[in-house]
């Protein structure tokens, strides 16, 4: 089959890399792609959120399956337009993408279906949100309702901080939430209507600084699997969270099709939903792709065509993987752009390592930084500790003066292993 992949980040580079290795993948196109993705796919310079342009490209190139990487095209209805044009698509329609596009929608869906999540209040205006604070203890969590690239959440450690977060959010809709205690883990499930199967687990590092300090980012590193999400907890999360969500959306006439990413808090009472995303995580995707066995393209096509129940469940290799993000100085504020990047080839000489491109561009034949997260250095090995050692050995090969990275990716797992 011929595949068109939408997106231009590290997640899409990992998807392209994995799709390219799939026996059933014929031609692979990417829009718009990046210099890393161009190693595996032909890149077309179109806007992935422009439904008309995506449908036209897919038709012109006789594409069998469009794989949507980021959330923005999904929320914008690009999958709807492709389905209307009878083109296969991996990714949900806009109605189901509200799981990510509106935190209030997801909270209401959880409440209506008995899905475990933090207690909450939706507030349309700042004044309402301030008033709602009295119903919660401290810490309390303040969230902007819409898409915010992982940056619209404040865990307020005092009432004053909570009020400041409400003021900073302007007058848009907010969700005020009970603070949940526990360790976080992410579960990625393939969902096709009312059916769902687990694909993989991972742990992300959202804060910019070591020791999980500083502002939130899109993610500074990840590893997979997340052993803290034991087989028992994973099946509870599927039964109590993912499946009831899939069934509720199917019953409402807005079935979900694609990958559902459940951000979980593993509390003393069991897994609770923190948030949903309607696509693969970035950088979790970079960590997960090297672990998937079998024909990945075939798996995505089965989801897209409603045949998830007819095929063998996804298989993961028993290995471990870790991704370290190399970001441009200044991220998650204003990143330094244009810094030269060299010696990626040396990094990829380390066994088990692939360097995915998250934010790079070619200027006069030289690779330079473009955007906040620049490279996603990924290593696979037989143990977590070996994957981690390989990832950092590779990072140390890279010559990128404008870059920085966290040195402590996987610290929780490392602590557990050495305990
Ligand atoms: P979100 O964008 O909803 O995933 O939130 C970003 C981060 O804020 C999460 O990964 C958690 O670390 C934290 N967070 C969000 N909601 C809660 C909550 N109810 N309790 C504790 N931490 C939370
Ligand atoms: N790494 C978090 C996300 O993709 O939303």
């Amino acid at each position: 089959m011929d595949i068109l992949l939408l997106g231009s980040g590290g997640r899409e580079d990992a998807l392209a890399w994995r799709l390219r290795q799939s026996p059933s993948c014929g031609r692979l196109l990417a829009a718009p792609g990046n210099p890393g993705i161009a190693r595996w796919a032909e890149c077309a310079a179109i806007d992935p959120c422009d439904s008309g342009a995506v449908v036209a490209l897919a038709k012109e190139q006789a594409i069998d399956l469009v794989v949507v990487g980021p959330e923005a095209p999904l929320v914008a209805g690009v999958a709807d337009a492709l389905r209307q044009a009878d083109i296969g698509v991996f990714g949900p329609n806009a109605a189901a993408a509200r799981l990510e596009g509106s935190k209030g929608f997801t909270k209401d869906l959880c409440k209506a279906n008995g899905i475990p999540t933090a207690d909450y209040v939706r507030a349309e205006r700042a004044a309402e949100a301030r008033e709602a604070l009295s119903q919660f203890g401290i810490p309390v969590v303040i969230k902007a309702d819409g898409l915010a690239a992982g940056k619209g959440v404040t865990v307020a450690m005092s009432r004053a901080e909570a009020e400041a977060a409400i003021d900073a959010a302007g007058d848009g809709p907010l969700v005020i939430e009970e603070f949940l205690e526990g360790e976080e883990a992410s579960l990625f499930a393939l969902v096709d209507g009312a059916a769902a199967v687990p694909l993989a687990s991972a742990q992300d590092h959202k804060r910019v600084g070591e020791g999980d300090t500083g502002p939130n980012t899109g993610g500074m590193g990840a590893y997979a699997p997340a052993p803290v999400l034991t087989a028992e907890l994973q099946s509870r999360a599927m039964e109590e969270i993912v499946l009831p969500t899939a069934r509720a959306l199917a019953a409402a006439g807005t079935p979900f099709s694609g990958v559902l990413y459940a951000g979980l808090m593993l509390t003393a009472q069991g897994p609770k939903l923190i948030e949903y995303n309607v696509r693969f995580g970035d950088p979790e995707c970079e960590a997960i792709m090297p672990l998937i066995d079998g024909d990945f393209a075939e798996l995505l096509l089965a989801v897209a065509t409603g045949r998830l129940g007819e095929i063998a469940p996804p298989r993961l290799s028993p290995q471990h993987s870790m991704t370290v993000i190399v970001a441009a100085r200044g991220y998650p504020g204003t990143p330094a752009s244009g810094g030269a990047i060299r010696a990626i080839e040396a990094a990829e000489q380390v066994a088990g390592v692939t360097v995915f491109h998250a934010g790079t561009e070619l200027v006069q034949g030289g690779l330079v930084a473009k955007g906040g997260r620049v490279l996603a250095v990924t290593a696979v090995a037989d143990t977590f500790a070996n994957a981690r050692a390989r990832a950092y050995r590779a990072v140390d090969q890279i010559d990128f003066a404008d870059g920085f990275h966290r040195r402590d990716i996987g610290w929780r797992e490392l602590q557990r292993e050495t305990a």
Side-chain angles (χ1 to χ4, degrees):
M1 73 184 106
D2 290 347
I3 298 177
L4 167 61
L5 170 68
L6 302 184
S8 60
R11 164 182 47 214
E12 288 76 28
D13 194 4
L15 287 168
W17 173 84
R18 190 63 194 77
L19 286 167
R20 186 64 280 156
Q21 297 166 50
S22 305
S24 66
C25 179
R27 289 174 63 219
L28 181 60
L29 273 68
N34 71 28
I37 295 169
R39 295 174 292 178
W40 337 110
E42 301 163 47
C43 297
I46 69 157
D47 174 1
C49 289
D50 180 342
S51 298
V54 171
V55 169
L57 178 67
K59 280 190 173 158
E60 175 199 304
Q61 299 288 333
I63 293 296
D64 300 295
L65 177 68
V66 178
V67 176
V68 186
E71 60 277 19
L74 297 168
V75 172
V78 170
D80 301 63
L82 287 161
R83 287 197 173 89
Q84 266 154 28
D86 236 355
I87 298 163
V89 54
F90 180 82
N93 279 359
R98 281 180 297 171
L99 283 181
E100 175 161 0
S102 166
K103 295 192 188 278
F105 171 80
T106 298
K107 297 301 285 190
D108 289 351
L109 183 138
C110 287
K111 192 187 225 171
N113 293 279
I115 295 167
T117 189
D119 288 339
Y120 72 103
V121 168
R122 291 178 77 165
E124 284 306 320
R125 323 202 70 90
E128 247 176 284
R130 281 166 163 274
E131 212 173 281
L133 282 181
S134 58
Q135 300 173 43
F136 295 89
I138 296 291
V140 62
V141 185
I142 316 291
K143 300 184 175 183
D145 193 54
L147 287 183
K151 297 171 201 164
V153 176
T154 303
V155 177
M157 303 310 285
S158 69
R159 172 100 192 204
E161 198 186 336
E163 288 180 349
I166 290 170
D167 292 342
D171 230 359
L174 293 174
V175 174
I176 316 294
E177 231 177 72
E178 163 203 16
F179 177 79
L180 295 175
E181 223 145 339
E183 188 164 342
E184 284 179 59
S186 302
L187 173 62
F188 295 84
L190 296 177
V191 177
D192 131 32
V197 296
L199 178 68
S201 65
Q203 251 177 338
D204 183 15
H205 296 64
K206 288 202 168 103
R207 302 298 191 106
V208 73
E210 285 174 13
D212 294 330
T213 55
N216 266 319
T217 70
M220 293 299 292
Y223 57 94
V228 67
L229 189 70
T230 60
E232 192 222 323
L233 289 175
Q234 179 170 301
S235 52
R236 274 189 71 179
M238 287 300 296
E239 292 301 322
E240 296 171 17
I241 298 175
V242 173
L243 279 160
T245 300
R247 290 186 197 120
L249 286 175
T254 54
F256 188 98
S257 169
V259 60
L260 186 58
Y261 158 178
L264 304 173
M265 189 69 86
L266 306 179
T267 73
Q269 294 92 49
K272 291 192 181 184
L273 182 73
I274 301 174
E275 63 156 359
Y276 274 133
N277 296 303
V278 299
R279 35 78 190 171
F280 282 107
D282 191 350
E284 294 92 326
C285 186
E286 291 92 311
I288 290 170
M289 285 306 122
L291 301 181
I292 296 178
D293 279 343
D295 192 332
F296 183 59
E298 189 56 48
L299 196 58
L300 300 191
L301 182 68
V303 173
T305 53
R307 292 181 298 108
L308 187 56
E310 296 167 27
I311 62 159
R315 275 182 298 118
L316 288 191
S317 87
Q319 292 179 296
H320 294 255
S321 87
M322 196 168 102
T323 297
V324 178
I325 291 290
V326 181
R329 209 165 13 84
Y331 180 75
T334 307
S337 81
I341 306 159
R342 295 185 198 88
I344 286 182
E345 307 69 28
E348 288 188 325
Q349 290 298 308
V350 179
V353 167
T354 309
V355 179
F356 297 115
H357 292 225
T360 67
E361 68 180 330
L362 282 169
V363 174
Q364 292 166 350
L367 195 67
V368 302
K370 177 195 183 195
R373 295 187 291 176
V374 177
L375 300 172
V377 180
T378 300
V380 183
D382 53 345
T383 65
F384 167 77
N386 288 340
R388 186 174 194 276
R390 284 177 170 182
Y392 279 116
R393 215 177 304 141
V395 166
D396 289 339
Q397 298 296 317
I398 292 169
D399 174 6
F400 174 33
D402 268 354
F404 75 95
H405 61 278
R406 275 181 62 169
R407 218 55 213 176
D408 66 341
I409 301 303
W411 65 268
R412 283 197 187 79
E413 204 45 43
L414 202 65
Q415 228 166 44
R416 260 191 290 272
E417 287 199 352
T418 47

